[in-house]
């Protein structure tokens, strides 16, 4: 609300506009100062300061209501986890560790295990439970959460369109994309259509393997085959990976104890970015699980900033993985600098009575990704808070973190921190080879799912009349694009699609759009020069992280790559032929 009210102040707008209109004065400013004036001028206009008073007042009301809707939507998601109970037989396929210390209930005289829709429960059940009924019931429980959020999203869609029209735009997507690298809805739709076309051929080959596996399972059980459903994707992707590459997530996670993995990944970042991290004992934190770290320059001992790690699930906590820039860095009037502070939040598995917290390989990649956001904030050095860290174009902001996911697939890096939790033995080279070989298994279907999310986002936000049924569009598009059936049970998965109410509206395409840049940076510099090359790491810190949003992302990319980016490395990275 404070930010909304600040951008509605006429006195501030008049001051900024006076400088903006004085071209001689504007050109005399330093680059970052001039960029600030230009961005503020655009921001005030987009906040309605150039509108008549009645329209401006209505726009302010819309913005405040949208803020309220977003907060309420997110709170509903965080406070309403789905919950089911299953017998041990219904959970056949899950390892003994899944049941270690798990809550039980007696239902109709039968002891059952409690399974929630939190990630540490949901993911292993969807990947390993042999019973299709079990997977279906948990998937439906997850997608029938927060029915009240359907109306909240519908209201937000209408209000966003009304606001865009007040400002002279045809659609909300058109309004949003002006400030992105893509610039127009057409650019986004062309990107999604081209990628969908390329992925379909790969995905259909993968789908035939899924069908073959499920048909065999049904035949063995004496049951009819009725098709592939949304709750089948993770299970058969995992089955095929195990069969073709002999990779078992249960085997792999024995070599990913969270304590060692976290320490090892932090060490990777220390070396790459020439930093030193110091854990703060007895730190003032909001929960006993939270850790606080100081960040120092490795060479001269200069203090850089702080970050927090809040990595385990708990009731009413944000239930995905994300990073919040608690305080941006900026230059103070006295010439000193405000130090940045960032916090990473995740929901990784907790320790059990018989084993420490063990991560899947996917969890480790998520940790690399989210810490990439942390250090984008920590390593940024800008004059103005407005441009600090991740305050870049929205369709570039994921690129630095996506690039750093590649370290989770580098054998030399994995050997630095992947050790058996009981013996301390490093991960076997053969297991690493099998893990890397399985990287692109199911990549076509996985990326079609990302295309689906992007197309849903555009379908509800690139509309000129606002007459959209978000629930119906979500269900229909998911079936059409992802190639898996929804089933005949009524669900509303869009009601927990937090991105649509948390700042990614008309921007979800950016996850795949920015993959183009991340793949190019990794292949053209780090893979070529060596992932542990200190010069490349410092080039990356100087040209990509340090500027934040103080210059266009295209300039930063050109400086780091020595040329404009292209999509060859991206297409190759997801298993598509680039010839």
């Amino acid at each position: 609300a404070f930010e909304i009210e600040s951008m509605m102040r006429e006195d501030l707008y008049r001051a900024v506009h006076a400088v903006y209109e004085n071209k001689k004065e504007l050109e005399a400013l330093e680059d970052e100062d001039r960029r600030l004036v230009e961005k503020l001028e655009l921001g005030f206009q987009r906040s309605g300061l150039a509108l008549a008073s009645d329209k401006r007042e209505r726009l302010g009301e819309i913005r405040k209501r949208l803020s309220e809707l977003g907060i309420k939507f997110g709170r509903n998601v965080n406070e309403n986890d789905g919950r089911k109970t299953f017998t041990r037989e219904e959970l056949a396929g899950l390892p003994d560790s899944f049941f270690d210390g798990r809550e039980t209930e007696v239902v109709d005289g039968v002891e059952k295990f409690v399974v929630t829709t939190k990630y540490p429960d949901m993911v292993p059940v969807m990947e390993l439970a042999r019973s299709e009924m079990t997977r279906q019931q948990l998937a439906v429980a997850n997608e029938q959460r927060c029915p009240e959020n359907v109306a909240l999203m519908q209201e937000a869609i209408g209000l966003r369109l009304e606001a865009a029209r007040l400002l002279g735009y045809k659609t909300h997507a058109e309004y949003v994309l002006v400030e992105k690298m893509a610039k127009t809805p057409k650019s986004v739709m062309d990107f999604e259509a081209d990628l969908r076309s390329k992925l379909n051929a790969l995905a259909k080959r993968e789908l035939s393997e899924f069908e073959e596996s499920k048909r065999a399972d049904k035949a063995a059980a004496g049951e009819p085959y009725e098709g592939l459903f949304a709750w089948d994707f993770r299970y058969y992707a995992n089955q095929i990976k195990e069969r073709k590459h002999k990779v078992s997530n249960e085997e792999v996670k024995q070599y990913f104890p969270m304590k060692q993995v976290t320490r090892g990944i932090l060490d990777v970042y220390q070396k790459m970015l020439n930093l030193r991290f110091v854990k703060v004992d007895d730190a003032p934190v909001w929960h006993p699980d939270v850790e606080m770290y100081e960040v120092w320059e490795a060479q001269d001992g200069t203090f850089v900033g702080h970050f927090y790690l809040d990595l385990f699930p708990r009731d009413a906590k944000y239930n995905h993985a994300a990073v919040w820039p608690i305080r941006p860095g900026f230059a103070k009037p006295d010439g000193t600098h405000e130090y940045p502070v960032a916090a990473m939040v995740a929901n990784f598995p907790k320790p059990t009575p018989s084993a420490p917290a063990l991560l899947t390989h996917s969890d480790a990649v998520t940790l690399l990704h989210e810490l990439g956001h942390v250090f984008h904030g920590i390593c940024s050095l800008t004059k103005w808070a407005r441009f600090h860290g991740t305050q870049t174009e929205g369709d570039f902001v994921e690129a630095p973190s996506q690039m750093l996911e590649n370290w989770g697939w580098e054998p030399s890096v994995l050997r630095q921190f992947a050790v058996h939790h009981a013996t301390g033995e490093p991960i076997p080279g053969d297991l690493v080879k099998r893990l890397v070989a399985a990287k692109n298994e199911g990549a076509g279907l996985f990326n079609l799912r990302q295309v689906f999310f992007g197309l849903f986002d555009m379908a509800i936000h690139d509309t000129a009349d606002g007459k959209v049924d978000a629930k119906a569009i979500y269900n229909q598009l998911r079936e059409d694009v992802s190639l898996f059936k929804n089933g005949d049970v009524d669900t509303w998965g869009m009601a927990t699609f937090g991105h649509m109410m948390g700042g990614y509206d008309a921007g979800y395409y950016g996850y795949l759009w920015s993959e183009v840049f991340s793949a190019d940076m990794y292949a053209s510099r780090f893979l070529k020069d060596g992932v542990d090359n200190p010069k490349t790491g410092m080039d990356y810190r100087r040209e990509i992280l340090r500027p934040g949003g103080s210059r266009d992302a295209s300039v930063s990319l050109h400086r780091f790559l020595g040329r404009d980016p292209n999509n060859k490395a991206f297409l190759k990275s997801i298993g598509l032929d680039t010839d």
Side-chain angles (χ1 to χ4, degrees):
F2 172 77
E3 183 178 355
I4 294 169
E5 290 175 4
S6 297
M7 292 305 293
M8 297 295 286
R9 283 180 53 180
E10 290 186 69
D11 57 338
L12 290 179
Y13 177 51
R14 284 195 297 268
V16 169
H17 189 66
V19 177
Y20 181 77
E21 287 295 301
N22 187 331
K23 299 306 178 186
K24 186 175 181 180
E25 183 180 359
L26 187 65
E27 289 303 316
L29 295 175
E30 293 183 359
D31 290 348
E32 190 173 338
D33 294 335
R34 183 167 59 255
R35 185 177 179 85
L36 179 68
V37 172
E38 292 169 347
K39 292 294 184 182
L40 284 173
E41 171 71 17
L42 179 61
F44 278 120
Q45 289 182 11
R46 288 164 69 82
S47 294
L49 271 294
L51 296 176
S53 59
D54 59 333
K55 291 184 178 179
R56 188 191 318 154
E57 184 178 346
R58 174 56 184 157
L59 186 63
E61 293 171 354
I62 290 172
R63 293 279 167 78
K64 287 182 180 179
R65 178 57 180 161
L66 283 170
S67 177
E68 293 169 0
L69 291 172
I71 292 168
K72 191 172 183 180
F73 187 100
R75 184 181 295 127
N76 289 340
V77 173
N78 295 339
E79 295 179 355
N80 292 280
D81 291 309
R83 186 178 185 276
K84 299 293 290 184
T85 58
F86 299 104
T87 65
R88 184 71 180 252
E89 182 181 10
E90 289 168 335
L91 292 167
L94 276 295
D96 291 342
S97 60
F98 183 81
F99 302 93
D100 196 0
R102 181 164 296 278
E103 179 186 355
T104 60
E105 286 183 1
V106 175
V107 180
D108 297 331
V110 178
E111 184 180 53
K112 295 190 175 186
F113 292 90
V114 175
V115 180
T116 72
T117 54
K118 290 183 182 293
Y119 276 14
D121 286 5
M122 184 92 183
V123 172
V125 170
M126 300 310 291
E127 288 184 346
L128 299 171
R130 296 191 192 106
S131 167
E132 181 176 1
M133 183 61 71
T134 297
R135 300 195 306 274
Q136 179 185 4
Q137 287 181 9
L138 191 60
V140 168
N142 187 47
E143 297 209 344
Q144 288 185 336
R145 293 162 58 205
C146 309
E148 63 276 20
N149 277 0
V150 175
L152 299 184
M153 185 180 287
Q154 285 290 159
E155 183 180 352
I157 292 166
L159 289 174
R160 287 166 180 162
L161 176 59
E162 184 182 352
R165 283 175 167 173
L166 284 171
L167 292 166
Y169 298 91
K170 293 178 182 177
T171 71
H172 177 64
E174 186 179 283
Y175 162 79
V176 169
L177 291 168
V178 165
E179 292 194 298
K180 304 288 180 71
M181 297 180 79
K183 299 302 180 190
T184 67
K186 183 179 185 304
S187 294
V188 173
M189 293 304 291
D190 287 348
F191 171 77
E192 297 280 21
D194 179 61
L195 189 55
R196 183 183 180 186
S197 175
K198 287 183 168 70
L199 288 168
N200 266 330
L202 176 62
K204 286 176 180 176
R205 290 198 298 271
E206 295 167 350
L207 202 67
S208 66
E209 291 188 85
F210 280 47
E211 288 175 337
E212 183 181 352
S213 293
K214 187 172 182 181
R215 284 183 186 278
D217 286 349
K218 290 298 183 182
E223 299 172 358
Y225 173 78
E226 297 177 342
L228 288 168
F229 295 87
W231 50 83
D232 289 325
F233 173 70
R234 282 186 179 271
Y235 179 74
Y236 285 103
N238 187 62
Q239 291 293 302
I240 290 167
K241 184 172 70 173
E242 286 196 13
R243 187 183 74 241
K244 291 173 67 173
H245 302 283
K246 304 295 188 290
V247 173
S248 159
N249 285 338
E250 188 63 21
E251 177 190 10
V252 170
K253 76 178 187 180
Q254 305 307 311
Y255 293 91
F256 285 85
M258 184 167 167
K259 184 176 180 180
Q260 285 85 345
V261 170
T262 303
R263 187 169 61 225
I265 288 177
L266 288 176
D267 192 46
V268 167
Y269 277 105
Q270 286 184 116
K271 292 175 182 176
M272 180 194 307
L273 303 174
N274 202 24
L275 296 171
R276 180 169 60 89
F277 309 146
V278 178
K279 185 179 176 182
V280 179
D281 294 326
D282 300 318
V285 293
W286 53 91
H287 189 274
D289 287 346
V290 180
E291 296 179 345
M292 178 183 181
Y293 290 83
E294 298 171 342
V295 182
W296 302 79
E297 292 285 0
Q299 293 298 107
D300 61 16
T302 303
F303 184 70
V304 179
H306 286 107
F307 67 91
Y308 297 87
L309 300 181
D310 183 356
L311 304 181
F312 294 114
R314 57 181 178 271
D315 289 342
K317 177 186 169 184
Y318 179 80
N319 56 13
H320 294 281
V323 170
W324 278 272
I326 294 177
R327 184 177 69 202
F330 57 90
K332 296 180 180 179
D334 64 3
T336 61
H337 208 79
E338 184 65 82
Y339 300 112
V341 181
M344 175 186 166
V345 171
N347 289 272
F348 295 135
K350 283 189 169 185
T352 68
S354 62
L358 299 176
L359 301 180
T360 64
H361 178 258
S362 176
D363 290 334
V365 172
T366 295
L367 185 56
L368 278 160
H369 177 104
E370 297 301 341
L371 283 171
H373 287 309
V374 168
F375 297 117
H376 197 169
I378 295 297
C379 293
S380 180
L381 189 63
T382 59
K383 181 176 181 179
W384 299 103
R386 167 69 174 76
F387 300 129
H388 185 81
T390 55
Q391 296 298 309
T392 66
E393 294 97 321
D395 43 6
F396 175 76
V397 70
E398 295 294 335
S401 287
Q402 289 168 335
M403 188 203 71
L404 291 155
E405 293 178 20
N406 288 286
W407 272 248
W409 299 96
E410 278 294 325
S412 63
V413 174
L414 288 173
R415 284 193 289 271
Q416 294 177 37
F417 58 75
V419 296
H420 196 282
H421 70 92
T423 66
E425 291 293 316
I427 189 168
D430 177 62
L431 179 55
V432 173
K433 287 181 181 177
R434 286 182 275 132
L435 187 64
V436 173
K439 179 182 179 182
N440 279 332
E441 202 63 58
L445 289 167
F446 173 81
N447 284 292
L448 274 183
R449 185 170 177 268
Q450 291 295 88
V451 169
F452 149 65
F453 286 132
L455 289 175
F456 167 73
D457 180 15
M458 295 304 289
I460 62 174
H461 288 127
D462 191 31
T463 169
D465 60 14
K467 295 178 181 177
V468 296
D469 181 337
K471 175 186 163 185
I473 291 172
Y474 184 94
N475 289 336
Q476 187 61 56
L477 268 178
R478 182 170 70 171
E479 201 163 86
D480 291 347
V481 179
S482 72
L483 308 180
F484 286 82
K485 295 180 181 180
N486 294 323
D488 56 6
V489 179
D490 189 28
T491 59
W492 40 91
M494 41 70 68
T496 54
F497 191 7
H499 291 78
M500 294 300 94
M501 300 292 283
Y504 275 78
D505 44 292
Y508 196 90
Y509 76 93
Y511 277 101
L512 285 173
W513 183 279
S514 58
E515 284 273 17
V516 172
F517 309 130
S518 69
D520 202 359
M521 286 191 289
Y522 175 67
S524 301
R525 290 296 311 271
F526 284 98
L527 198 57
K528 180 181 176 183
D529 303 340
V531 293
D532 56 355
N533 185 303
K535 180 182 182 305
T536 308
M538 288 306 293
D539 285 350
Y540 173 74
R541 180 177 169 183
R542 182 180 63 254
E543 301 295 355
I544 300 296
L545 303 184
R546 181 181 175 124
S550 65
R551 66 189 186 196
D552 287 350
S554 58
V555 175
S556 295
L557 284 164
H558 195 282
R559 294 270 182 89
F560 182 65
L561 294 170
R563 56 166 173 76
D564 290 337
N566 62 59
N567 68 359
K568 291 181 181 178
F570 166 64
L571 294 175
K572 184 178 180 181
S573 73
I574 60 175
L576 291 172
D577 189 359
T578 58
D579 293 334

